[in-house]
């Protein structure tokens, strides 16, 4: 009870380890130095030209001697790491592939950026007839547009498609770790609804391939949405118009809760919570531009102690949103302290019956899910975020109504599934292998926080508990509990082979919720 009161996980005494010594943090390199190293590395034999690798012919590249990659096949094969055991999931990489078996040619992913569309976006020549029509009607257009031939593009409210979120398990859009391979893992473990990582509207409208990659969808994602983030009605309207035309999706979610400074300082994300007029214009024009359902994700408010979603909840439906997800923290809180579910219930009960409300925050077991649904039957569902990062089998637990004391071997199989999906998504050449490894390591920076059910004196584990250092029931379980990046790399080598010489890793995301005791 004393440990729980301090937000420290009550691990059984026989499994406790002495706390590890602090590791030395290496000095970061400058952006200029990193760029110079990337350019130099690109000229080495390990970076074979894709056209040469695919055909096995040094003269196949259209750029010839001006190509920025190597054309030396012998040098490439001499330094190429040994193949990884297993089958190639999908491969256009030729000799660069790290698998020796027969290549498959068919991919199960959709929503790629077409080259002709990308060129139009680059040249600012893309037409957005529906968006421009609605912007003009609402008096929100900020730039002159060429006249559209279709003047009857406004959608009747009755034409809106409806998605029933009630009772469905919703995997939250998660930056970096919520990639397509991770979503496939969660689908296999019971998630019903998936959503792509947050994509910035301006980057999508500029045709940035890296941003468009966030919209990709796998065939197993049968109920799938994309999440976009924008500061102004015109950019959001044109983005939803473009996505609706170029992608196969079921709904579009607008992020109005992102707390990141870079996003907030541009007037997007949670900064819209203090700009209700602009918030209205964004939702209204997006909803009237496309017939796909528009959903919104918000926080309780911008400043701690000054909640305001309850005063906007009815308007959000009137503006055209089909559903709203409320994260029970303010922007100022980020991810510290516990989510305020009492306020989520209050907003839900104030919402009109036609607006589906979903709650979000700190769900880490089936009992958490049950408690929220029984406490507030008006909730359509709950969105699961960090809980799924730490233990993606939470979806199985909720559907089977049990605390799963999952073994280390079963957890390793889940990691193997991720790797298989990753190689199919990012590629099976050396670059694809290391990209898969990078995202696996990012995910492992969360999974080590999981404490096996059999090791706890109190079940279930709470999301705000800080895990002490502990032994597992076998060597692999102990390794998986380590908070050392060196041990995460060892785990990656179990499924992806040895890391390249000089390989280092530092996790991109470090949640506030585990850094300070008072955040409990």
């Amino acid at each position: 009870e004393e440990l729980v009161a301090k937000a420290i996980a009550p691990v059984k005494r026989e499994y406790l380890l002495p706390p590890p010594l602090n590791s030395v943090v290496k000095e970061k390199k400058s952006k200029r130095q990193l760029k110079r190293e990337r350019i130099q590395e690109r000229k080495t034999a390990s970076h074979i030209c894709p056209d040469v690798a695919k055909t096995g012919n040094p003269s196949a590249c259209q750029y010839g001697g001006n190509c920025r990659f190597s054309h030396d096949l012998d040098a490439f094969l001499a330094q190429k790491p040994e193949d990884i055991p297993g089958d190639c999931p999908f491969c256009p990489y030729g000799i660069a592939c790290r698998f020796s078996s027969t290549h498959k040619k068919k991919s199960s992913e959709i929503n790629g950026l077409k080259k002709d569309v990308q060129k139009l976006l680059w040249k600012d020549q893309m037409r957005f007839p529906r968006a421009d029509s609605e912007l003009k009607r609402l008096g929100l257009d900020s730039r002159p547009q060429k006249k559209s031939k279709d003047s009857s593009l406004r959608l009747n409210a009755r034409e809106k498609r409806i998605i029933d979120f009630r009772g469905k398990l919703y995997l939250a859009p998660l930056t970096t770790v919520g990639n397509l391979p991770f979503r496939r893992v969660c689908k296999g473990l019971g998630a019903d609804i998936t959503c792509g990582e947050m994509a910035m509207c301006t980057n999508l409208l500029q045709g940035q391939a890296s941003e468009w990659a966030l919209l990709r969808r796998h065939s197993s994602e049968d109920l799938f949405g994309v999440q976009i983030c924008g500061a102004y009605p015109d950019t959001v309207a044109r983005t939803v118009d473009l996505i609706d035309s170029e992608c196969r999706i079921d709904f579009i979610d607008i992020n109005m809760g992102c707390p990141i400074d870079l996003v907030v300082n541009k007037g997007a994300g949670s900064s819209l919570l203090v700009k209700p007029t602009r918030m209205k214009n964004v939702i209204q024009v997006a909803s009237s531009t496309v017939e796909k359902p528009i959903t919104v994700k918000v926080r309780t408010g911008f400043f701690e102690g000054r909640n305001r979603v309850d005063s906007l909840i009815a308007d959000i439906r009137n503006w055209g949103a089909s559903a709203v997800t409320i994260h029970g923290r303010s922007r100022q809180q980020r991810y510290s302290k516990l989510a305020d579910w009492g306020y989520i219930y209050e907003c839900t009960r104030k919402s009109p019956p036609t607006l589906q409300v979903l709650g979000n925050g700190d769900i880490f077991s089936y009992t958490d899910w049950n408690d929220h649904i029984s406490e507030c039957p008006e909730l359509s569902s709950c969105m699961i975020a960090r809980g799924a990062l730490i233990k993606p089998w939470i979806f199985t637990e909720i559907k089977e109504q049990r605390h799963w004391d999952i073994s280390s071997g079963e957890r390793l199989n889940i990691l193997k599934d991720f790797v298989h999906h990753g190689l199919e998504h990012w590629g099976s050449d050396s670059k694809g292998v290391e990209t898969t490894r990078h995202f696996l390591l990012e995910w492992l920076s969360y999974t080590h926080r999981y404490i096996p059910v059999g090791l706890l004196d109190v079940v279930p584990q709470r999301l705000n508990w800080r895990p002490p250092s502990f032994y597992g029931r076998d060597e692999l379980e102990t390794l998986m509990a380590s908070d050392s990046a060196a041990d995460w790399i060892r785990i990656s080598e179990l499924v992806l082979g040895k890391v390249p010489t000089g390989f280092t890793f530092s996790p991109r995301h470090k949640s506030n919720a585990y850094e300070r005791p008072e955040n409990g």
Side-chain angles (χ1 to χ4, degrees):
E1 291 177 358
E2 184 179 345
L3 291 172
V4 170
K6 294 179 179 178
I8 299 173
V11 174
K12 293 176 181 177
R13 281 187 190 277
E14 60 265 34
Y15 294 108
L16 288 175
L17 268 172
L21 298 173
N22 291 330
S23 56
V24 178
V25 179
K26 293 183 179 179
E27 186 179 352
K28 289 186 177 181
K29 296 179 181 180
S30 68
K31 289 184 178 180
R32 181 179 294 179
Q33 186 177 358
L34 290 170
K35 183 178 180 181
R36 185 166 56 247
E37 289 178 0
R38 282 197 302 269
I39 294 172
Q40 290 172 348
E41 186 184 3
R42 211 178 277 161
K43 297 175 181 177
T44 62
S46 62
H47 283 65
I48 191 78
C49 171
D51 290 334
V52 174
K54 193 182 300 183
T55 62
N57 181 5
S59 61
C61 178
Q62 60 177 319
Y63 299 105
N66 295 324
C67 181
R68 59 182 178 174
F69 297 105
S70 170
H71 288 183
D72 192 337
L73 282 172
D74 293 334
F76 172 77
L77 291 172
Q79 63 76 48
K80 181 187 173 186
E82 62 179 276
D83 284 346
I84 300 171
D87 296 329
C88 176
F90 165 70
C91 189
Y93 298 100
I95 63 167
C97 180
R98 294 287 300 278
F99 293 88
S100 57
S101 54
T102 304
H103 293 162
K104 298 178 183 179
K105 296 296 182 185
K106 186 176 180 181
S107 173
S108 300
E109 296 182 12
I110 56 174
N111 295 351
L113 176 59
K114 299 176 186 142
K115 280 293 179 186
D116 56 339
V117 173
Q118 186 178 41
K119 287 178 182 178
L120 288 173
L121 292 170
W122 283 347
K123 296 176 182 178
D124 199 21
Q125 294 177 351
M126 194 74 186
R127 300 281 187 90
F128 306 98
R130 293 177 297 176
D132 295 336
S133 174
E134 285 306 304
L135 287 165
K136 184 177 180 181
R137 183 181 67 83
L138 296 170
L140 300 172
D141 202 0
S142 65
R143 67 176 186 180
Q145 292 289 319
K146 297 177 181 179
K147 291 184 179 179
S148 170
K149 295 180 181 178
D150 190 348
S151 59
S152 58
L153 291 167
R154 185 183 175 189
L155 293 167
N156 188 292
R158 291 188 299 251
E159 296 173 353
K160 269 285 179 195
R161 295 179 186 173
I162 301 297
I163 291 180
D164 188 1
F165 290 95
R166 286 175 296 183
K168 293 183 173 67
L169 304 185
Y170 190 166
L171 171 65
L174 300 161
T175 303
T176 303
V177 189
N179 46 63
L180 185 147
F182 176 76
R183 299 197 305 269
R184 288 183 65 183
V185 167
C186 292
K187 279 296 295 182
L189 291 167
D192 298 313
I193 306 170
T194 53
C195 187
E197 300 173 64
M198 183 183 76
M200 298 302 295
C201 291
T202 49
N203 296 344
L204 293 172
L205 293 174
Q206 290 168 4
Q208 291 185 17
S210 58
E211 207 74 13
W212 275 84
L214 304 178
L215 309 184
R216 292 189 69 84
R217 172 186 191 173
H218 189 262
S219 58
S220 64
E221 298 181 274
D222 47 357
L223 188 47
F224 174 76
V226 296
Q227 187 182 71
I228 59 172
C229 186
Y232 300 98
D234 57 336
T235 55
V236 172
R238 289 169 185 132
T239 301
V240 299
D241 191 354
L242 181 61
I243 290 173
D244 188 54
S245 300
E246 299 298 324
C247 301
R248 285 168 53 190
I249 55 166
D250 299 301
F251 63 94
I252 298 174
D253 187 64
I254 303 175
N255 188 312
M256 296 185 172
C258 179
I260 299 172
D261 292 342
L262 185 65
V263 173
V264 170
N265 293 341
K266 291 181 178 179
S270 55
S271 70
L272 289 169
L273 293 171
V274 295
K275 300 170 183 174
T277 301
R278 192 188 295 177
M279 187 179 182
K280 169 191 172 182
N281 292 339
V282 166
I283 297 173
Q284 202 170 42
V285 73
S287 178
S288 59
T289 296
V290 296
E291 64 180 41
K292 295 281 194 310
I294 298 296
T295 64
V296 180
K297 188 163 189 279
V298 298
R299 285 179 172 248
T300 58
F302 192 86
F303 299 104
E304 189 171 358
R306 293 169 62 181
N307 296 334
R308 63 173 307 152
V309 173
D310 59 312
S311 64
L312 298 170
I313 196 78
D315 291 328
I316 288 173
R317 178 66 188 114
N318 294 334
W319 297 335
S322 301
V324 60
T325 301
I326 305 172
H327 182 172
R329 293 181 175 88
S330 66
R331 186 263 172 173
Q332 194 172 14
Q333 282 178 264
R334 301 284 179 120
Y335 296 95
S336 65
K337 301 186 180 178
L338 293 175
D340 186 352
W341 277 90
Y343 184 69
I344 294 174
Y345 302 154
E346 179 188 339
C347 294
T348 304
R349 294 179 179 121
K350 286 184 177 181
S351 67
T354 53
L355 179 67
Q356 299 182 75
V357 181
L358 296 86
N360 172 225
D362 302 337
I363 295 177
F364 202 37
S365 67
Y366 81 89
T367 52
D368 291 336
W369 171 279
N370 292 350
D371 289 346
H372 297 317
I373 297 299
S374 61
E375 185 71 26
C376 185
E378 296 88 349
L379 270 174
S380 293
S381 185
C382 299
M383 180 183 280
I384 302 173
R386 282 184 299 162
L389 290 177
I390 297 171
K391 59 169 195 180
W393 54 92
I394 185 175
F395 301 105
T396 305
E397 290 187 334
I398 294 171
K399 287 193 169 178
E400 298 181 0
Q401 293 288 289
R402 67 184 176 107
H403 299 301
W404 183 2
D405 192 7
I406 188 170
S407 69
S408 59
E410 290 171 315
R411 290 168 67 188
L412 184 64
N413 287 336
I414 292 174
L415 298 182
K416 288 178 179 178
D417 288 340
F418 174 84
V419 166
H420 178 83
H421 302 330
L423 294 173
E424 185 176 330
H425 180 62
W426 289 300
S428 55
D429 61 342
S430 290
K431 183 178 179 182
V433 169
E434 293 315 312
T435 301
T436 301
R437 189 191 307 277
H438 170 79
F439 284 104
L440 173 63
L441 291 169
E442 289 284 2
W443 183 22
L444 290 173
S445 72
Y446 285 94
T447 59
H448 79 276
R449 299 174 187 171
Y450 171 71
I451 305 172
V453 172
L455 274 60
L456 286 168
D457 274 326
V458 178
V459 176
Q461 180 182 353
R462 308 296 298 181
L463 195 57
N464 68 314
W465 285 355
R466 286 170 289 119
S469 298
F470 62 88
Y471 293 104
R473 292 165 291 191
D474 55 51
E475 187 177 347
L476 180 57
E477 194 168 73
T478 302
L479 185 65
M480 288 178 165
S482 173
D483 61 358
S484 166
D487 287 327
W488 306 338
I489 291 172
R490 285 179 60 197
I491 295 171
S492 80
E493 290 181 328
L494 295 176
V495 290
L496 279 169
K498 289 289 183 182
V499 297
T501 305
F503 180 88
T504 58
F505 171 75
S506 177
R508 179 178 175 184
H509 290 274
K510 290 184 179 178
S511 172
N512 289 340
Y514 290 89
E515 291 179 355
R516 297 191 304 272
E518 63 267 26
N519 286 342

